[in-house]
């Protein structure tokens, strides 16, 4: 036997708690009592005395941007800025402290204009003030609205006559571009920047993978084949290289972001793999569609006007006919769809398309609503009836709750309704949408259980929707596996399943719920290999 953990609290998430677990190769050989499991040991077995510590299935983030998160540690950081002037100051400091190649892009991420006084979006002039020699893009924390300087706009081919389906380019009173770009127009702008090379992808996977293993992650469902990131052949080659030297830090189910049918036909349908197929470490996850924008940018698509912006219902990236076509193409080709839908209008449009596809050809694909922040019981019941999943981000609560009542008014009471979704039978996975939020699963579990009203106020927001600790843990374990039909191999700690697990310094089931976020991760194991040890 390779490794034995004993004298602990092994929460299998399969209905039993035991004290010991044995690992042979990449899989769990046995779970049970100390006596039974230690009997499997030989002179080569690594014995780990848990000393009462807690073991759980490895955490899986069901919606993240892995490569973008890795790049974010090296980009212009705009998180927490309080004014356009601070953006310029940070940008100029970045230029002065980095040796930039002649045509290298400067991409700043993370500003939130709601922190400004007044809360005005930074425009092309702000980007231009950072540099006119380099293309500059400023990306809001939600990734749905931003700004570019003149060089960036020119490289994207933008002028006053440009029309981007599903996107907007703001203009001033004279009809000139302001530099502010929204939704698909921002995606197109970022696509003009250079793609990541295989060497860069390998570096990022190892670097960010180590950081994620340190917080207990053993897998992610990630959106990397998008406006920023890389392409499938490059990503697969990078993973193949890492697998060949046994250096893969975590499992990846790759989301394939594709905004239009032509992209789907030209890329995804021409390669042989379909959803949930691939190696043990890299699989095709789903096709990601973007149906709307974000709450903070008031581009999430609502069925009724924003309460604080009469006449505005957000942005519809697709018409209903376009949404129907995209979902049908994926469904008919055995590709799961994960649709970014924050507003109830976007969710309703997606559900209508799924309903048509399933009526024509029923399949257990578990199509997923990503974010699923706003809706009502009728929408949630429809999701359950269609056998759908939801990728929720518990950490959105403290970030968005201060804005939600003003934006949504009376509709707030049915928002972030994870308890309702679970009770109705929707498969709910937990993610971070990092770099939007912190990727630490224990922070997400804390937010799901305690639902803090803000980062400064731990008063519960809509406490009726708070989850139990077991329900919150299931978002990152059992349900994460169910979303990608991996229940036979992952999600619980049982004999024969892959040895993906995390050891916590304290038992989060008996700890004070307010302290869950602070529990240290002592060890992470993926496929029988230790990927982190404190």
């Amino acid at each position: 036997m390779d490794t034995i953990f004993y004298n602990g609290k092994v929460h299998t998430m399969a209905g039993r708690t035991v004290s010991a677990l044995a690992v042979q190769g990449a899989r769990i050989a046995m779970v049970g009592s100390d006596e039974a499991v230690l009997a499997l040991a030989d002179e080569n077995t690594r014995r780990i005395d848990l000393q009462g510590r807690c073991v759980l299935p490895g955490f899986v983030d069901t919606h993240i941007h892995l490569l973008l998160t890795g790049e974010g540690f090296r980009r212009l950081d705009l998180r927490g800025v309080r004014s356009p002037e601070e953006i310029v100051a940070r940008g100029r400091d970045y230029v002065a402290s980095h040796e930039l190649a002649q045509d290298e892009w400067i991409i700043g991420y993370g500003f939130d204009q709601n922190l400004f006084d007044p809360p005005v979006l930074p425009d092309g002039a702000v980007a231009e003030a950072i540099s006119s020699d380099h293309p500059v893009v400023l990306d809001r924390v939600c990734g749905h609205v931003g700004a570019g300087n003149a060089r960036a706009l020119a490289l994207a081919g933008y002028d006053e006559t440009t029309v981007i389906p599903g996107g907007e380019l703001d203009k001033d009173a004279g009809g000139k571009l302001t530099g502010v770009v929204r939704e698909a127009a921002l995606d197109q702008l970022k696509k003009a920047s250079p793609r990541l090379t295989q060497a860069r992808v390998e570096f990022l996977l190892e670097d960010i993978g180590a950081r994620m293993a340190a917080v207990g992650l053993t897998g992610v469902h990630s959106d990397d084949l998008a406006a920023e990131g890389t392409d499938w052949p490059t990503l697969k080659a990078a993973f193949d290289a890492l697998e060949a030297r046994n250096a893969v830090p975590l499992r990846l189910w790759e989301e394939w972001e594709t905004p239009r049918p032509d992209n789907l036909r030209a890329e995804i349908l021409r390669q042989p793999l379909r959803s949930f197929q691939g190696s043990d470490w890299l699989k095709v996850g789903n096709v990601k569609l973007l149906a709307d924008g974000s709450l903070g940018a008031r581009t999430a698509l609502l069925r009724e006007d924003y309460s604080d912006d009469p006449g505005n219902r957000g942005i519809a990236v697709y018409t209903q006919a376009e949404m129907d076509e995209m979902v049908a193409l994926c469904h008919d080709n055995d590709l799961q769809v994960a649709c970014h839908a924050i507003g109830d209008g976007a969710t309703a449009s997606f559900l209508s398309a799924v309903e048509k596809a399933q009526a024509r050809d029923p399949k257990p694909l578990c199509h997923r609503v990503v974010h699923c922040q706003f809706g009502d019981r009728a929408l949630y019941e429809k999701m359950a009836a269609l056998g759908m999943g939801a990728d929720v981000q518990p950490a959105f609560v403290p970030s968005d709750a201060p804005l939600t009542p003003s934006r949504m008014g009376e509709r707030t009471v049915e928002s972030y309704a994870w308890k309702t979704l679970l009770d109705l039978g929707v498969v709910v996975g937990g993610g971070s949408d990092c770099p939007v939020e912190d990727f630490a699963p224990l922070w997400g579990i804390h937010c799901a259980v305690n639902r803090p009203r803000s980062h400064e106020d731990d008063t519960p927001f809509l406490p009726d929707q708070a989850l139990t600790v077991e329900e919150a843990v299931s978002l990152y374990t059992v349900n994460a596996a169910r979303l990608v039909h991996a229940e036979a191999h992952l999600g619980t700690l049982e004999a024969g399943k892959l040895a993906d697990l995390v050891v916590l310094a304290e038992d989060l089931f008996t700890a004070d719920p307010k302290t869950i976020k602070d529990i240290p991760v002592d060890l992470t194991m993926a496929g029988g290999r230790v990927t982190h040890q404190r």
Side-chain angles (χ1 to χ4, degrees):
M1 195 60 54
D2 292 334
T3 306
I4 286 177
F5 298 88
Y6 67 99
N7 188 27
K9 293 181 180 178
V10 181
H11 297 285
T12 65
M13 295 301 291
R16 58 190 294 229
T17 298
V18 297
S19 61
L21 176 148
V23 175
Q24 179 67 39
R27 294 188 177 266
I28 297 169
M30 183 181 186
V31 294
S33 67
D34 287 351
E35 182 181 16
V37 173
L38 284 169
L40 301 176
D42 57 38
E43 66 274 12
N44 297 315
T45 300
R46 180 187 186 190
R47 297 170 176 84
I48 298 178
D49 183 353
L50 294 167
Q51 298 179 326
R53 290 175 294 173
C54 165
V55 182
L56 289 167
F59 297 129
V60 175
D61 187 309
T62 65
H63 183 68
I64 199 169
H65 303 265
L66 183 65
L67 298 181
L68 183 58
T69 298
E71 283 284 85
F73 287 102
R74 294 154 187 86
R75 286 183 171 177
L76 169 57
D77 185 359
L78 299 179
R79 291 171 295 179
V81 294
R82 296 283 173 170
S83 67
E85 291 75 20
E86 188 176 352
I87 289 177
V88 174
R90 283 203 198 180
R92 288 177 175 174
D93 287 346
Y94 179 88
V95 173
S97 61
H98 288 71
E99 294 184 6
L100 300 174
Q102 183 176 356
D103 296 320
E104 188 169 345
W105 286 59
I106 299 169
I107 299 179
Y109 169 78
F111 76 84
D112 181 357
Q113 84 283 0
N114 294 302
L115 301 177
F116 302 174
D117 185 16
V120 60
L121 282 169
D123 59 12
V126 176
E128 197 74 31
I130 293 172
S131 175
S132 58
D133 296 327
H134 295 271
V136 178
V137 176
L138 309 176
D139 198 357
R140 191 183 182 278
V141 66
C142 63
H144 290 268
V145 64
N149 70 352
R151 283 206 68 187
L153 296 179
L155 287 168
Y158 288 174
D159 60 28
E160 285 72 17
T161 65
T162 302
V163 175
I164 303 292
E168 293 181 0
L169 288 80
D170 286 13
K171 297 178 183 178
D172 62 21
K176 299 294 184 182
L177 296 180
T178 68
V180 173
V181 288
R182 304 171 190 267
E183 300 304 332
L186 176 59
D187 290 341
Q188 196 70 22
L189 177 62
K190 290 186 286 191
K191 279 183 179 177
S193 65
R195 305 291 276 173
L196 296 175
T197 64
Q198 180 182 332
R200 185 65 174 174
V201 171
E202 286 185 44
F203 166 78
L204 290 172
L205 288 172
E206 289 198 89
D207 180 67
I208 193 61
R211 297 172 190 260
M212 291 184 173
V215 297
L217 284 165
T218 57
V220 294
H221 304 178
S222 184
D223 176 4
D224 302 300
L225 309 178
E228 295 176 275
T230 189
D231 54 40
W232 175 253
T234 302
L235 181 70
K236 188 175 184 307
F239 251 84
D240 288 346
L242 291 176
E243 284 193 55
R245 49 191 172 91
N246 198 29
V248 180
L250 73 179
R251 302 185 197 281
L252 173 60
W253 289 264
E254 185 55 56
E255 296 184 350
W256 211 309
E257 189 174 308
T258 180
R260 297 289 151 187
D262 288 347
N263 303 104
L264 183 61
R265 293 188 179 98
E267 298 177 30
I268 308 173
L269 298 184
R270 289 188 178 181
Q271 57 83 36
L273 299 178
R274 294 297 180 257
S275 288
F276 325 128
Q277 296 178 347
S279 73
D280 279 346
W281 293 97
L282 173 65
K283 295 184 188 295
V284 171
N286 52 60
V287 173
K288 180 173 175 207
L289 307 182
L290 291 151
D292 67 350
S294 73
L295 177 70
R298 291 194 187 90
T299 53
L301 182 64
L302 306 179
R303 291 182 289 189
E304 298 178 5
D305 295 356
Y306 280 89
S307 297
D308 59 356
D309 192 10
N312 178 20
R313 296 189 177 186
I315 291 178
V317 177
Y318 297 104
T319 66
Q320 188 62 56
E322 290 169 337
M323 176 67 79
D324 292 348
E325 180 182 9
M326 290 296 288
V327 171
L329 267 172
C330 295
H331 186 87
D332 293 348
N333 284 279
D334 297 323
L335 290 164
Q336 184 189 69
V337 181
C339 183
H340 168 112
I342 288 179
D344 56 355
T347 297
S349 175
F350 179 49
L351 298 193
S352 176
V354 171
E355 185 175 38
K356 293 166 190 169
Q358 290 284 26
R360 188 184 67 257
D361 184 12
K363 292 180 179 179
L365 283 168
C366 196
H367 299 303
R368 301 149 68 169
V369 179
V370 180
H371 307 311
C372 200
Q373 288 172 238
F374 303 107
D376 57 29
R377 190 172 183 88
L379 283 178
Y380 305 145
E381 288 175 346
K382 190 171 186 178
M383 288 175 65
L386 290 168
M388 295 180 66
D391 292 315
V392 305
Q393 290 68 47
F396 277 12
V397 164
S399 295
D400 288 356
L403 283 176
T404 302
S406 62
R407 294 280 198 273
M408 301 300 293
E410 294 178 356
R411 293 165 290 183
T412 298
V413 296
E414 291 190 281
S415 62
Y416 308 90
W418 313 321
K419 183 74 170 178
T420 298
L421 289 166
L422 283 173
D423 289 347
L424 288 171
V426 175
V427 184
V428 182
S432 63
D433 202 18
C434 193
V436 177
E437 300 289 349
D438 190 328
F439 56 72
L442 289 175
W443 170 246
I445 291 168
H446 161 79
C447 292
V449 171
N450 297 300
R451 293 180 70 97
R453 188 171 297 273
S454 75
H455 292 277
E456 294 77 33
D457 181 0
D458 62 3
T459 305
F461 176 72
L462 302 176
D464 288 349
Q465 293 294 336
L467 303 187
T468 66
V469 173
E470 183 170 5
E471 287 170 335
V473 171
S474 75
L475 305 186
Y476 298 86
T477 56
V478 179
N479 289 358
R482 290 179 63 197
L483 284 171
V484 289
H485 298 277
E487 308 97 305
H489 304 284
L490 293 165
T492 60
L493 299 176
E494 299 177 271
K497 291 196 172 184
L498 288 164
D500 290 12
L501 57 86
V502 58
V503 178
L504 303 180
E506 299 176 45
D507 185 357
L508 80 175
F509 285 93
T510 57
D512 179 347
K514 299 288 187 183
T515 69
I516 287 174
K517 65 183 187 301
D518 301 315
I519 295 175
V521 174
D522 282 353
L523 181 145
T524 306
M525 174 178 279
R529 179 164 52 87
V530 174
T531 53
H532 162 74
Q533 189 160 10
R534 188 166 71 101

